[in-house]
Amino acid sequence: MKKLLNTLYVLGENRYLSLDGENIVILCGGDEIGRVPMHNLEAVSVFGFSGASPALMGALAERGIDLSFMSQSGKFLARICGRERGNVLLRRKQYRIADDERQSLVIAKNFIAGKLYNSRWVLERAARDYPMRLDAEKLKAKAAIIAEAARRAYEVENADSLRGLEGEAASNYFSVFDDIILQQKEEFYFNSRNKRPPLDNVNAMLSFAYTLLSGMCAAGLEAVGLDPYVGFFHTDRPGRISLALDLMEELRPAFADRFVITAINKRLINGKDFIKKEDGAVLFTENGKKTFLKLWQERKQEEIRHPFLNEKMEWGLVPYVQALLLARYLRGDLEEYPPFMWK
C-alpha cells in the first residue's frame, strides 16, 4: 500500500523554490523563509506567481514528487511529474476502452452511480443527525429522488442519457445544499452552483476543494500507470484531466462536500477568510487559504474503513486506492470497477 505523506503548499507572491541537497528552499525576495526535506513529501502545490529552479524540478520528478502550479484563486495551471509509471499494455487497454462508447459507458455508469449514492448519503446523514433543526422529510424526499436516479443510471443506453440523469440528480442535490448549512448563515449561503468565477463563499470553498481533489485523483492515476487525461465519462479536451474528473465524481459528496459543510458548521472557516472582487468573484484571503489547506491536510490524515476492501486507511489514500481498483479492472483482475460508496 502506498504511504500517505505530506503535501507542501506554497502560498503568496514572489516566492521562489530552489534545491539545496535533499531540501526544498523557499525564497522571498532572495531571503530564505522556509526549508522542507523532500523525503517527507508526496506532492508540492504552488499558489500564485511563484517559480522553481530547473534543478529542483528535476529532483522532484526523479523522486516521483508531483509539482503543481495554481493561480491565486486555485485554478490549475500546470503540473510537472517524472517518467511515466506503469506498463504500456495497461495504457493501451485504457485507450482502446476510451475509444469504445459501449465499454466506456459500463465504467462511467459506476462512476456516476457512486456519486449519486454518496450524494444521497450526505442528505440522509444530515437528516438523521439534525432532525430537529432541518426539514428531514424534505431532505429524505430529495434523497429518494437521487436514489432512484442511481438505480436508473445502470439502465441508460448512451453517455448523453447518463449525463442528463446525473445533471438532474445534481440539481436536486444542490437544491437543498443550503439547508444543511446550519451556522454562519449570513456569510455562508448557497443559491446555486457557480464556478467561473465562484460568486459566494460556499462556491469558492467547493471550487477550491474540487481543485485539490482532482489533483489527488490525477496523482493516484499516474501512480498506478493510467493516463489521467483520457477519460470514460468526461470527453477528451486538450489540457483537461478527464479520467481524474471521472474518478473524482464519486468522491465529491463524501470527501469534498462534507468537508466544506463541516468547516462551515464548526466555524473553522469564517467570512473574514474571503474577499470579493469588483467583478463579483469571491476568493480566499491569504490567511483563509492557509486555514483551508491546513484543515484539508488534517482531513486527509483521518482514518476510515474502505467500503469495498474493508481495510482501514487514511482518507487521503482513497483516490489512489480507487485508481488501483480501476487499473485492476482494466487488467481483467476484477469483474467490474467498484465505485467508492461511503457508509
Side-chain angles (χ1 to χ4, degrees):
M1 177 65 71
K2 179 182 178 183
K3 184 179 180 181
L4 179 62
L5 300 175
N6 294 316
T7 298
L8 171 64
Y9 299 104
V10 181
L11 309 177
E13 298 183 2
N14 302 318
R15 303 292 193 263
Y16 186 79
L17 280 61
S18 65
L19 179 67
D20 182 14
E22 293 295 312
N23 299 294
I24 298 174
V25 178
I26 305 167
L27 305 171
C28 181
D31 298 325
E32 180 177 329
I33 61 171
R35 178 179 290 259
V36 181
M38 286 189 290
H39 70 268
N40 288 328
L41 299 175
E42 64 176 352
V44 179
S45 294
V46 180
F47 293 83
F49 301 101
S50 304
S53 71
L56 175 62
M57 289 190 282
L60 292 174
E62 183 180 348
R63 290 163 176 76
I65 302 173
D66 291 341
L67 173 61
S68 299
F69 292 94
M70 315 280 187
S71 70
Q72 282 283 19
S73 63
K75 180 181 178 182
F76 174 81
L77 299 175
R79 190 156 162 268
I80 298 171
C81 53
R83 295 176 181 175
E84 299 289 358
R85 286 160 281 194
N87 64 68
V88 66
L89 298 179
L90 176 60
R91 293 203 174 203
R92 284 174 62 86
K93 182 67 175 293
Q94 176 189 354
Y95 300 148
R96 285 196 297 270
I97 292 178
D99 287 335
D100 186 311
E101 293 184 8
R102 182 184 60 81
Q103 292 188 75
S104 291
L105 183 61
V106 171
I107 303 174
K109 287 179 179 180
N110 282 346
F111 289 142
I112 299 307
K115 177 182 182 177
L116 299 184
Y117 178 95
N118 292 326
S119 298
R120 168 194 175 187
W121 173 83
V122 169
L123 300 185
E124 290 183 342
R125 175 76 176 266
R128 185 193 71 190
D129 291 348
Y130 304 102
M132 304 302 293
R133 300 183 63 182
L134 294 171
D135 186 342
E137 293 305 315
K138 178 182 176 182
L139 293 182
K140 289 178 181 178
K142 293 294 184 180
I145 293 173
I146 296 171
E148 175 61 17
R151 186 192 65 77
R152 289 166 53 202
Y154 288 108
E155 300 174 353
V156 299
E157 297 181 354
N158 55 67
D160 287 339
S161 296
L162 184 61
R163 293 188 185 95
L165 188 68
E166 186 271 336
E168 181 181 344
S171 178
N172 277 284
Y173 172 71
F174 281 121
S175 72
V176 291
F177 199 75
D178 186 67
D179 294 38
I180 59 179
I181 299 174
L182 302 176
Q183 301 290 337
Q184 309 182 83
K185 294 293 288 187
E186 290 186 3
E187 296 170 324
F188 292 92
Y189 50 85
F190 184 90
N191 295 322
S192 63
R193 180 75 180 111
N194 50 74
K195 47 191 174 182
R196 293 187 184 92
L199 302 176
D200 57 65
N201 296 348
V202 178
N203 274 291
M205 294 178 72
L206 288 173
S207 292
F208 198 35
Y210 293 160
T211 295
L212 296 173
L213 183 55
S214 67
M216 292 168 61
C217 290
L221 291 165
E222 287 190 340
V224 302
L226 292 169
D227 187 340
Y229 289 88
V230 180
F232 304 120
F233 181 64
H234 289 82
T235 56
D236 293 349
R237 183 183 299 174
R240 183 167 76 174
I241 46 176
S242 294
L243 187 58
L245 297 180
D246 286 354
L247 193 68
M248 184 175 73
E249 290 290 356
E250 64 203 61
L251 301 179
R252 284 178 189 249
F255 195 116
D257 296 354
R258 283 276 298 172
F259 171 82
V260 167
I261 291 295
T262 299
I264 296 171
N265 286 343
K266 289 188 174 182
R267 299 180 180 271
L268 304 175
I269 296 284
N270 59 60
K272 296 179 181 179
D273 292 320
F274 302 88
I275 56 173
K276 191 164 188 175
K277 310 291 278 187
E278 292 182 359
D279 63 355
V282 175
L283 306 175
F284 272 106
T285 64
E286 199 69 22
N287 286 333
K289 197 180 297 180
K290 288 179 182 178
T291 301
F292 189 95
L293 291 170
K294 179 178 180 294
L295 295 171
W296 184 264
Q297 192 67 23
E298 291 172 356
R299 172 70 161 169
K300 288 168 58 180
Q301 301 288 342
E302 291 179 9
E303 195 172 75
I304 64 164
R305 183 173 293 278
H306 193 281
F308 177 76
L309 298 177
N310 196 30
E311 294 180 7
K312 286 186 177 181
M313 64 184 65
E314 294 92 346
W315 257 117
L317 282 177
V318 172
Y320 167 77
V321 170
Q322 291 306 118
L324 186 62
L325 292 172
L326 179 59
R328 289 178 178 173
Y329 166 73
L330 295 178
R331 290 192 185 101
D333 297 332
L334 293 173
E335 292 186 1
E336 66 176 335
Y337 166 71
F340 181 84
M341 292 184 172
W342 186 229
K343 300 178 180 178

